[in-house]
Amino acid sequence: MAETDIQAATTAKAAICSRGVTRDFKAGQQTITVLHGIDVDIRAGELTYVVGESGSGKTTLISIMCGILWPTEGEVKVFGTDIYDLSDTELVEFRLNNIGFIFQQYNLIPSIDAANNAAVPLIAQGMDRLEAREKAVAMLEKLNIGNQAGKLPSQLSGGQQQRVAIARALVHEPRLVVCDEPTAALDAASGRRVMDLLREVAVAEDRACIIVTHDNRVFDLADRILVLEDGRITHDGSEMPEGH
Amino acid sequence: MIWIAIRMLTGDAQKFYGLVFGIAFSTLLITQQLTIFVNLIERGASGTYNVSSADVWVMDPVSRTTDVNFPMPSTALDKVRGVTGVEWAVPHLRAGASVRTSEGDLEGVSVIGVDDATLIGLPKRMTVGSPDVLSQPDSVIIDDVGLTRMFEDGRSPIGERLELNDQRAVIRGVADAIPSFTSQVTLYTKYSQALRYVPGTRNRLSFVLVGAEHGVSPEELTRRIEEQTGLRARTRDEFAQDGVDFIIQNTGIPLNFGITVLLGFIVGVAIVGLTFSLFIRDNIKQFGALKAIGVTNGKIRKMVAAQAGLVGLIGYGLGVLGTVFFIWGFSGNPTFKGFYIPWQIPLISMAAVFVILALTGWLALRNVLKTEPASVFR
Ligand SMILES: Nc1ncnc2c1ncn2[C@@H]1O[C@H](COP(=O)(O)OP(=O)(O)OP(=O)(O)O)[C@@H](O)[C@H]1O
Ligand SMILES: [Mg+2]
């Protein structure tokens, strides 16, 4: 049995392979390095948490992993595709078909209702609008806000808006789901419900889910926890390290 | 996605109306000013259009338009009649005169002497009376613009006595004529009568109007007349164009209207450009999120094009409608008599609207297309 076969088998299981990922930002004259050569595999079939202090680079890392922020150096493979090797249009289409994300800013479209907002990825994929809307309403129902489907974002509370954003991230059943602080705006019960739903929808044989969180109420739900400190991974295990 | 684009646009009512207004205003300004411009300079040809039966106008070689003419000796008429291909040729006199009304007002008029026998030279239609009235002594026919100018109170001009260059004249009819560029009062009378009204030297024949024989083209006939008589001959269309060209070359009108049309364009670019880029900027996060989710730049371009298209269509429609209402509303005013919107003008303003929207849309879009998707989530 050749070694390459074993390697191929492991990379197939890896939803994301990050190799030497570095990211610099220019702040005036200075260049600050936020990520220092991140090497990590995110496995399919697992719920992976990224935790760390504010400013440690969590948002930057997952943005690079989901194809919306270019690394300064290094490469990222998502389900075997070197995403930063794709052309702009190919990358956009790759995101549309494979990735869902929930960021702290929801950026919902103010003039269309919750269901249509949640249906955007399906509409962008070319699905008929009413059919897409129906699927979106079903997703909103799973998130317990089916009765808000016809409301405009401005008529919803912060937590409800977030659930619309979550529905939008999950509605097209992407293989990779990336979330930045999905439970920050929610009470404990809603937070657990969201996590359960993410696990249900986003964690499967060939799917993966990465969640950035500070929320120690939900740490027990993770399969794997990565701790980021100053742009380096300092802990990788199924539990939080001692002292956190 | 187009549906979403349209909802994004109409969801912000204030900016939507701002955009529609900007386009409508630009369209109105451009269409209305171009329409007035074209109609106004076409007034330079009204003298020719009013005599629709003449195929060819013959004149002294230095004459330029119906109003800028140098009289010829009366022998010119016979010379023209001798040219083969001339079916008929009649004398035509055009000269300025002053008239005093019975109230004592003084008015500059133009006197047109038409052929005694055939009355060729009169406008085709009369609004009051018939051409035959010219056979009565001292008869003149006034044009309808002159009528509103000289009889503002609306009383009937028929039977009114005028003092025309110290001669007696009686108005016995009103002609339906296209006003001249200056909207001057015009009095039509028989050629022989006109010679009495207009004092002058031996030479008072302004034009010889010619009808071509069947089968002879006006162009061919002008060539023959010029060759054989040494006079200048122009077809009706050429002479109409001469009148228009004269106004273009000798007045500030093209420049003035050109400036207004340009202003309309600039105002459009300014209002629409500002509002459109504000609209896009307000929605840059949404566009960014769409991009991040997986909407390609090409589709985003199409979305913005749909937004621009909708605004353009509504605004343009309103602007053209506004022009139509304007022209229609003033159609009773003699200055605007016969004004129409040439079909080329709405096309020109449509092109202008297209350029305005394409330009501002492109400028506003550049930011959207450049943004790194991650930046909208920070
Ligand atoms: N676009 C940017 N331009 C300049 N600096 C940036 C940019 N994005 C991130 N940074 C910097 O990179 C560092 C890491 O930012 P990041 O948002 O990844 O932190 P985080 O771990 O997500 O923090 P938090 O928990 O507060 O969300 C911060 O110091 C931040 O100021
Ligand atoms: Mg963050």
Side-chain angles (χ1 to χ4, degrees):
Chain A
M1 181 100 170
E3 221 176 53
T4 45
D5 284 347
I6 300 165
Q7 222 170 6
T10 38
T11 28
K13 268 217 106 184
I16 304 176
C17 298
S18 156
R19 290 292 173 270
V21 167
T22 306
R23 173 71 202 213
D24 299 339
F25 285 110
K26 285 225 161 50
Q29 297 285 13
Q30 281 183 316
T31 304
I32 51 165
T33 303
V34 175
L35 298 176
H36 301 273
I38 303 285
D39 292 312
V40 70
D41 286 358
I42 305 296
R43 293 185 287 270
E46 282 186 359
L47 189 60
T48 306
Y49 279 15
V50 178
V51 301
E53 283 175 6
S54 181
S56 57
K58 305 182 297 292
T59 300
T60 306
L61 177 62
I62 62 164
S63 300
I64 291 175
M65 286 179 162
C66 69
I68 60 170
L69 186 69
W70 275 250
T72 310
E73 271 171 42
E75 78 173 31
V76 178
K77 282 192 178 160
V78 178
F79 299 111
T81 304
D82 187 345
I83 55 174
Y84 293 106
D85 215 27
L86 298 173
S87 74
D88 274 6
T89 309
E90 284 168 344
L91 178 54
V92 171
E93 274 158 9
F94 185 84
R95 286 198 301 263
L96 179 60
N97 295 317
N98 298 287
I99 302 174
F101 33 73
I102 304 137
F103 280 89
Q104 284 153 308
Q105 295 257 339
Y106 319 129
N107 294 325
L108 299 173
I109 296 170
S111 53
I112 62 178
D113 67 17
N116 284 319
N117 262 296
V120 161
L122 295 176
I123 298 173
Q125 283 177 345
M127 187 184 281
D128 171 68
R129 193 171 63 77
L130 296 178
E131 195 185 336
R133 192 190 152 88
E134 239 168 71
K135 292 208 168 187
V137 170
M139 186 54 77
L140 290 173
E141 268 158 13
K142 277 194 187 175
L143 287 159
N144 240 14
I145 48 164
N147 56 348
Q148 312 289 326
K151 287 194 179 166
L152 294 177
S154 59
Q155 298 166 324
L156 300 175
S157 72
Q160 290 171 328
Q161 287 180 28
Q162 189 188 34
R163 276 180 278 173
V164 175
I166 294 172
R168 185 179 64 185
L170 301 181
V171 73
H172 53 313
E173 303 184 3
R175 292 209 283 165
L176 172 63
V177 174
V178 173
C179 314
D180 202 351
E181 308 273 3
T183 59
L186 305 177
D187 61 82
S190 307
R192 283 195 93 81
R193 186 200 297 285
V194 165
M195 286 301 184
D196 285 339
L197 185 80
L198 286 173
R199 178 175 274 289
E200 179 193 325
V201 177
V203 182
E205 188 80 20
D206 57 345
R207 293 189 181 190
C209 183
I210 313 173
I211 295 170
V212 168
T213 187
H214 280 124
D215 189 355
N216 52 22
R217 297 171 304 185
V218 292
F219 280 170
D220 57 310
L221 297 173
D223 294 314
R224 181 185 183 194
I225 296 178
L226 301 173
V227 176
L228 205 59
E229 274 176 52
D230 286 335
R232 291 186 176 85
I233 293 176
T234 56
H235 170 86
D236 180 355
S238 58
E239 309 254 307
M240 279 300 281
E242 296 291 309
H244 272 79
Chain B
M1 294 318 287
I2 300 298
W3 177 82
I4 291 176
I6 299 301
R7 291 296 296 267
M8 280 169 88
L9 178 71
T10 53
D12 188 344
Q14 208 179 342
K15 289 209 186 59
F16 178 63
Y17 291 129
L19 286 168
V20 168
F21 171 79
I23 290 292
F25 188 69
S26 280
T27 308
L28 179 68
L29 221 55
I30 294 171
T31 316
Q32 190 250 25
Q33 288 294 305
L34 278 178
T35 298
I36 293 183
F37 169 67
V38 167
N39 282 281
L40 215 53
I41 60 166
E42 280 202 356
R43 289 287 201 243
S46 65
T48 324
Y49 290 148
N50 278 333
V51 190
S52 52
S53 52
D55 296 322
V56 173
W57 290 63
V58 184
M59 64 205 86
D60 185 275
V62 300
S63 292
R64 299 183 60 185
T65 70
T66 48
D67 296 320
V68 183
N69 62 67
F70 190 78
M72 305 174 282
S74 48
T75 51
L77 182 60
D78 291 323
K79 281 205 245 169
V80 174
R81 282 181 174 154
V83 176
T84 46
V86 171
E87 160 116 46
W88 51 259
V90 297
H92 192 68
L93 183 146
R94 284 175 173 256
S98 1
V99 63
R100 223 173 30 208
T101 62
S102 46
E103 279 88 52
D105 293 332
L106 192 68
E107 185 90 48
V109 300
S110 83
V111 172
I112 296 183
V114 305
D115 183 41
D116 285 33
T118 61
L119 299 184
I120 287 172
L122 268 184
K124 241 198 262 168
R125 279 184 303 273
M126 302 280 294
T127 48
V128 181
S130 83
D132 303 334
V133 297
L134 284 186
S135 48
Q136 297 172 39
D138 302 330
S139 268
V140 295
I141 291 175
I142 193 169
D143 69 334
D144 45 355
V145 174
L147 179 69
T148 39
R149 272 276 282 280
M150 285 178 61
F151 300 92
E152 282 161 0
D153 46 10
R155 79 199 140 89
S156 166
I158 304 300
E160 191 74 21
R161 282 155 190 275
L162 306 171
E163 217 175 282
L164 182 55
N165 279 357
D166 282 341
Q167 307 276 335
R168 199 177 85 105
V170 183
I171 298 174
R172 293 216 164 86
V174 181
D176 179 8
I178 306 168
S180 69
F181 177 69
T182 52
S183 292
Q184 205 174 30
V185 179
T186 304
L187 297 175
Y188 296 89
T189 183
K190 280 192 174 173
Y191 186 78
S192 55
Q193 184 75 15
L195 290 176
R196 284 207 301 117
Y197 287 136
V198 181
T201 51
R202 281 174 305 135
N203 300 345
R204 272 177 289 170
L205 176 60
S206 318
F207 298 97
V208 175
L209 304 182
V210 175
E213 262 174 17
H214 188 74
V216 181
S217 75
E219 289 76 18
E220 167 62 18
L221 193 56
T222 52
R223 212 181 45 73
R224 286 192 209 162
I225 293 172
E226 289 196 341
E227 246 168 39
Q228 293 178 32
T229 64
L231 297 167
R232 183 168 187 254
R234 304 289 277 164
T235 66
R236 184 178 51 232
D237 293 345
E238 285 168 353
F239 203 43
Q241 191 59 48
D242 289 347
V244 172
D245 291 347
F246 186 83
I247 287 178
I248 291 178
Q249 286 156 17
N250 292 282
T251 66
I253 288 181
L255 184 68
N256 278 313
F257 278 87
I259 289 171
T260 317
V261 168
L262 190 71
L263 281 179
F265 186 76
I266 291 172
V267 166
V269 170
I271 299 184
V272 176
L274 266 170
T275 329
F276 207 36
S277 54
L278 269 180
F279 166 75
I280 301 273
R281 193 161 315 156
D282 279 359
N283 285 288
I284 201 156
K285 295 222 150 198
Q286 280 77 38
F287 278 119
L290 289 176
K291 229 177 116 169
I293 288 168
V295 180
T296 56
N297 279 351
K299 277 193 195 153
I300 287 180
R301 273 195 205 98
K302 274 187 204 145
M303 289 176 74
V304 173
Q307 291 166 339
L310 182 73
V311 163
L313 218 64
I314 299 177
Y316 172 78
L318 288 177
V320 170
L321 216 64
T323 308
V324 170
F325 276 124
F326 176 88
I327 300 295
W328 176 72
F330 280 90
S331 60
N333 182 321
T335 317
F336 295 94
K337 186 186 174 196
F339 269 31
Y340 68 106
I341 304 177
W343 60 267
Q344 294 93 336
I345 288 178
L347 289 189
I348 292 173
S349 41
M350 186 184 274
V353 165
F354 182 83
V355 170
I356 290 173
L357 284 170
L359 198 73
T360 56
W362 176 72
L363 284 176
L365 249 180
R366 273 191 325 170
N367 286 326
V368 174
L369 300 183
K370 268 196 318 210
T371 43
E372 220 175 5
S375 63
V376 305
F377 292 112
R378 288 180 51 79

